[in-house]
């Protein structure tokens, strides 16, 4: 059976991808405020290489680049051999599509639906900066690890409750462990951190909230779930609601999972952070 070897929570932002491309993936210099983020992701990159996952399940949110307000599902899963990049208005980046795995997509869809998660199943799913912005920072190109993307509505009311995100993570764990192979799986959730990109509070962020969240999540998920999603929005900006996506990653891990790395900074508009947790290695006979 497959096993979860660890989890990662990481922020996403369009400018993260733009600066990566301008700096030629780090071969050229980043602006100082983005150099901090690049340097801060090096340990996460090393940890993912050590974990050597065979598959990644990524819980993210689309930003009206594939889905629209005419048809925006609460939960959607992508099934395919690859997932194309969406043009967000400045032309496609020079990146390959995300590799997928039909077997994983079909298996997870069936298992989650059997566990009362009513998914929109997408045979074609375009991916925006929700995944493409941060992924080149933590894995090599071309992308070496097949991905099953799960998109969650973080755009318009009603948003899923924080408890629902944790329940998704628990269901993912059961589904992953039921996959008939010995593959190693990394569960990733990406969103936020604190930021607001519209309205009178445009540009608001809360670095203290980001650091507090990173400190609390590994051992205090129950406490964080008791906080209404509107409170995260009030404290960290409207899009801080995306922090609740990280609950799916944490709930997919066991109580024995340990923090291996945590980092946050505020390069531009959005608080940026990363948290990597790993499961204890299973003893072999």
């Amino acid at each position: 059976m497959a096993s979860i070897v660890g989890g990662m929570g990481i922020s996403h932002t369009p400018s993260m991808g733009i600066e990566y491309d301008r700096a030629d993936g780090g071969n050229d210099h980043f602006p100082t405020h983005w150099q901090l983020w690049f340097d801060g992701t090096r340990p996460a990159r090393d940890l993912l290489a050590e974990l050597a996952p065979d598959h990644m399940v990524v819980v993210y949110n689309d930003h009206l680049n594939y889905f629209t307000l005419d048809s925006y599902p609460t939960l959607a899963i992508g099934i395919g051999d690859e997932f194309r990049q969406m043009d967000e208005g400045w032309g496609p980046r020079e990146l390959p599509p995300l590799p997928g795995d039909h077997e994983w997509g079909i298996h997870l869809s069936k298992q989650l639906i059997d566990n009362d998660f009513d998914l929109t199943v997408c045979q074609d799913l375009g991916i925006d900066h929700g995944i493409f912005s941060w992924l080149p920072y933590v894995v090599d190109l071309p992308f070496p690890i097949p991905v099953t993307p799960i998109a969650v509505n973080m755009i318009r009311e009603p948003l899923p409750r924080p408890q629902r995100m944790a329940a998704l993570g628990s269901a993912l764990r059961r589904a992953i462990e039921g996959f008939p192979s010995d593959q190693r799986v990394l569960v990733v959730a990406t969103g936020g951190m604190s930021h607001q990109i519209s309205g009178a509070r445009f540009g608001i962020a809360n670095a203290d909230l980001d650091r507090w969240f990173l400190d609390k999540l590994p051992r205090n998920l129950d406490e964080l779930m008791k906080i209404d999603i509107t409170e995260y929005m009030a404290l960290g900006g409207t899009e801080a609601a995306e922090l609740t996506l990280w609950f799916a990653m944490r709930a997919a891990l066991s109580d024995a999972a340990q923090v291996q790395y945590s980092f946050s900074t505020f390069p531009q508009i959005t608080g940026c952070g990363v948290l990597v947790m790993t499961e204890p290695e299973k003893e072999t006979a």
Side-chain angles (χ1 to χ4, degrees):
M1 296 299 183
S3 61
I4 296 175
V5 295
M8 180 174 70
I10 191 165
S11 51
H12 61 241
T13 170
S15 51
M16 186 186 296
I18 291 169
E19 296 299 340
Y20 181 91
D21 296 343
R22 285 176 176 168
D24 189 23
N27 293 319
D28 199 356
H29 290 296
F30 287 83
T32 300
H33 52 292
W34 278 106
Q35 187 69 45
L36 291 172
W37 173 246
F38 179 79
D39 293 344
T41 59
R42 300 307 85 198
R45 182 186 182 90
D46 293 342
L47 283 166
L48 265 59
E50 291 175 16
L51 285 171
D54 301 299
H55 194 78
M56 289 199 303
V57 178
V58 181
V59 179
Y60 76 109
N61 65 292
D62 174 81
H63 304 81
L64 299 175
N65 290 304
Y66 180 78
F67 299 112
T68 72
L69 292 178
D70 290 331
S71 180
Y72 202 103
T74 299
L75 290 168
I77 189 168
I79 299 178
D81 290 328
E82 66 177 31
F83 303 101
R84 58 193 171 89
Q85 179 190 170
M86 298 302 296
D87 181 352
E88 300 191 45
W90 50 80
R93 297 170 61 198
E94 292 185 9
L95 296 174
L98 293 182
D101 186 316
H102 262 97
E103 289 188 22
W104 267 108
I106 292 169
H107 172 81
L108 291 175
S109 295
K110 184 178 187 305
Q111 293 297 311
L112 289 173
I113 289 171
D114 284 349
N115 280 276
D116 298 326
F117 282 89
D118 299 321
L119 302 171
T120 297
V121 178
C122 303
Q123 302 292 339
D124 172 51
L125 180 61
I127 307 294
D128 67 5
H129 73 269
I131 297 179
F132 274 107
S133 65
W134 54 266
L135 192 58
Y137 284 84
V138 295
V139 299
D140 293 328
L141 294 173
F143 302 124
I145 308 165
V147 171
T148 295
I150 299 178
V152 181
N153 169 35
M154 285 285 140
I155 294 294
R156 70 173 182 188
E157 295 287 350
L159 303 181
R161 297 168 62 241
Q163 292 84 351
R164 190 62 170 161
M165 292 298 93
L168 174 63
S170 297
L172 277 172
R173 182 177 187 86
R174 294 191 297 271
I176 290 166
E177 291 178 342
F179 189 75
S181 82
D182 60 355
Q183 290 191 35
R184 298 164 60 86
V185 180
L186 182 77
V187 178
V188 180
T190 174
M193 300 182 88
S194 65
H195 66 299
Q196 182 160 326
I197 58 173
S198 61
R201 298 198 307 162
F202 171 81
I204 186 178
N206 188 335
D208 289 338
L209 173 66
D210 294 341
R211 287 190 292 266
W212 176 85
F213 184 86
L214 288 169
D215 182 61
K216 284 285 187 181
L217 182 61
R219 294 287 169 256
N220 297 278
L221 178 57
D222 288 344
E223 179 182 337
L224 294 177
M225 283 193 299
K226 293 176 183 177
I227 301 172
D228 192 86
I229 198 167
T230 58
E231 187 68 13
Y232 289 105
M233 297 164 76
L235 292 172
T238 304
E239 281 71 37
E242 296 171 13
L243 288 171
T244 61
L245 295 173
W246 295 42
F247 297 168
M249 179 277 290
R250 182 61 189 95
L253 305 182
S254 73
D255 291 341
Q258 297 294 317
V259 175
Q260 299 299 329
Y261 182 64
S262 179
F263 170 78
S264 67
T265 185
F266 182 70
Q268 185 177 3
I269 302 296
T270 302
C272 291
V274 59
L275 172 69
V276 180
M277 300 182 68
T278 59
E279 294 282 13
E281 286 288 340
K282 293 182 179 179
E283 295 183 5
T284 57

